[in-house]
Amino acid sequence: SISKQVKNKSRKIGEIIGEKYILTQKISSSSISSFYFATDKKGSSKYVIREDTNAIGDEEFRNSKDYFITAMNVIDGLKCMGVPRIEDLFEQDGSFFIVRACLEGSSLSELMKKNGPFSERDAISKAEDLCEIYACLHANNPPIIYGGCEMNHIFILQDNQMVLLVVEYAIYCTYNPIQRNPSYSGCRPL
């Protein structure tokens, strides 16, 4: 649900946003987006929150926000075990927020930095898991083409389940075979 609230320029650790999320740690930021760890007010659930600011200009921000809502609805409607659900979307202080459940695990790039290259057997197993996620995306109606697959977008959770973060810095589009360039129909950067 999208709701407008009063403007405030800075985010502080301990700040409550969206009336129910408490920011606990800043993960990273760029000129447009910031990522935070957060909990609910009870402290019982952990979240990762992406904040996109209006630093890119009003019209482009509105277009970006509309696209995010559309993309998040498509992604959230997937029945893929390997694609985390969106918990909440809201607008506050001139920024747009996407809230996901926090993933307890490590990205493939973090695992390789820590442990070195994967064995051939592990690499094949991870490739098979990734293919299953892609098969789910491609089985959607219309099929979803995801072009933002990088090592830091693929997470291995503590239970050894693989998940693909389809939102962060990704290219997502739906496939329409009637259009001239179907591999690019509806594509926009997230």
Side-chain angles (χ1 to χ4, degrees), residues 111-130:
L111 290 172
M112 284 190 63
K113 283 179 190 172
K114 180 180 175 186
N115 304 323
F118 295 107
S119 69
E120 182 178 343
R121 183 181 185 147
D122 282 346
I124 290 170
S125 173
K126 287 172 181 28
E128 288 171 343
D129 290 345
L130 188 59

Side-chain angles (χ1 to χ4, degrees), residues 31-165:
S31 61
I32 296 172
S33 299
S34 295
F35 294 86
Y36 301 91
F37 285 121
T39 63
D40 58 12
K41 285 184 177 180
K42 296 176 187 174
S44 59
S45 297
K46 295 179 185 177
Y47 302 96
V48 174
I49 298 179
R50 176 181 175 154
E51 174 185 18
D52 284 351
T53 66
N54 194 1
I56 55 179
D58 287 339
E59 184 175 342
E60 193 173 342
F61 180 72
R62 269 193 309 278
N63 291 339
S64 175
K65 183 178 73 173
D66 291 345
Y67 176 70
F68 269 117
I69 292 168
T70 301
M72 295 306 95
N73 287 333
V74 169
I75 291 166
D76 208 36
L78 294 173
K79 304 284 189 258
C80 297
M81 289 282 297
V83 179
R85 294 188 56 82
I86 306 299
E87 301 286 332
D88 198 2
L89 300 169
F90 62 93
E91 189 175 346
Q92 176 179 320
D93 306 333
S95 293
F96 185 69
F97 295 86
I98 301 168
V99 181
R100 300 185 114 149
C102 186
L103 302 173
E104 299 288 339
S106 301
S107 71
L108 287 185
S109 56
E110 291 170 330
L111 290 172
M112 284 190 63
K113 283 179 190 172
K114 180 180 175 186
N115 304 323
F118 295 107
S119 69
E120 182 178 343
R121 183 181 185 147
D122 282 346
I124 290 170
S125 173
K126 287 172 181 28
E128 288 171 343
D129 290 345
L130 188 59
C131 286
E132 285 182 30
I133 295 170
Y134 265 90
C136 179
L137 293 174
H138 295 170
N140 194 57
N141 188 13
I144 293 175
I145 299 167
Y146 174 66
C149 188
E150 298 177 12
M151 298 275 285
N152 57 342
H153 294 164
I154 303 167
F155 275 73
I156 306 299
L157 303 184
Q158 290 176 344
D159 64 359
N160 211 29
Q161 177 190 353
M162 178 182 283
V163 295
L164 180 62
L165 295 181

Side-chain angles (χ1 to χ4, degrees), residues 164-176:
L164 180 62
L165 295 181
V166 179
V167 180
E168 283 68 48
Y169 307 110
I171 301 295
Y172 136 91
C173 56
T174 55
Y175 177 79
N176 182 346

